[in-house]
């Protein structure tokens, strides 16, 4: 049986906190679409690029996540502080399908901490 959106996101959050790039990428469908900072990324390779950038922007971050689930959709507001930088305006949306992340949008601004 496929994982629920809540189960997928719980794993995703744990992998992100651990900075385990391949574990993060494993939550994405092979044909995933990520729209990040107005640029389109596709598949697991696209997810890998996105999270390589994010983990570099706020390394070893402390994360503050606020989630709203509606069926197979997740709205996420987040903050992160790490590596002398911070994000206070992170907003993502996720669409889950068959126990995987199928679509994600991300926008955030990096600032000095």
């Amino acid at each position: 049986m496929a994982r629920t959106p809540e189960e997928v996101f719980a794993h995703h959050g744990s992998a992100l906190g651990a900075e385990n790039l391949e574990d993060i990428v494993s939550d994405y469908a092979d044909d995933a679409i990520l729209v990040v900072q107005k640029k389109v990324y596709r598949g697991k390779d696209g997810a890998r690029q996105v999270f390589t950038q994010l983990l570099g922007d706020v390394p070893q971050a402390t994360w503050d996540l606020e989630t709203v689930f509606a069926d197979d959709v997740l709205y996420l507001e987040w903050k992160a502080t790490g590596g002398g930088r911070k994000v206070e305006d992170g907003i993502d949306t996720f669409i889950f399908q068959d126990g995987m992340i199928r679509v994600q949008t991300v926008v955030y601004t990096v600032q000095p901490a």
Side-chain angles (χ1 to χ4, degrees):
M1 179 158 185
R3 299 178 297 169
T4 67
E6 292 84 356
E7 290 169 336
V8 175
F9 188 71
H11 178 264
H12 182 73
S14 294
L16 183 62
E19 297 191 6
N20 185 330
L21 184 60
E22 292 310 309
D23 220 16
I24 294 168
V25 169
S26 74
D27 287 325
Y28 287 83
D30 290 339
D31 61 348
I33 298 169
L34 297 89
V35 181
V36 181
Q37 310 289 61
K38 301 179 184 175
K39 185 173 177 187
V40 176
Y41 298 84
R42 296 184 181 273
K44 292 184 185 292
D45 286 341
R48 191 173 290 107
Q49 291 174 4
V50 166
F51 284 95
T52 297
Q53 179 67 49
L54 178 60
L55 294 172
D57 285 343
V58 282
Q60 300 168 341
T62 300
W63 299 89
D64 177 18
L65 310 177
E66 293 185 31
T67 60
V68 178
F69 284 92
D71 301 326
D72 290 340
V73 177
L74 167 61
Y75 173 80
L76 170 68
E77 291 184 1
W78 57 273
K79 298 177 183 179
T81 304
R85 294 183 290 273
K86 66 182 177 181
V87 173
E88 295 185 329
D89 63 349
I91 297 177
D92 295 20
T93 54
F94 294 79
I95 299 173
F96 300 89
Q97 184 178 25
D98 300 325
M100 304 294 281
I101 300 167
R102 173 70 176 91
V103 176
Q104 182 178 3
T105 66
V106 184
V107 65
Y108 65 93
T109 307
V110 180
Q111 308 169 49

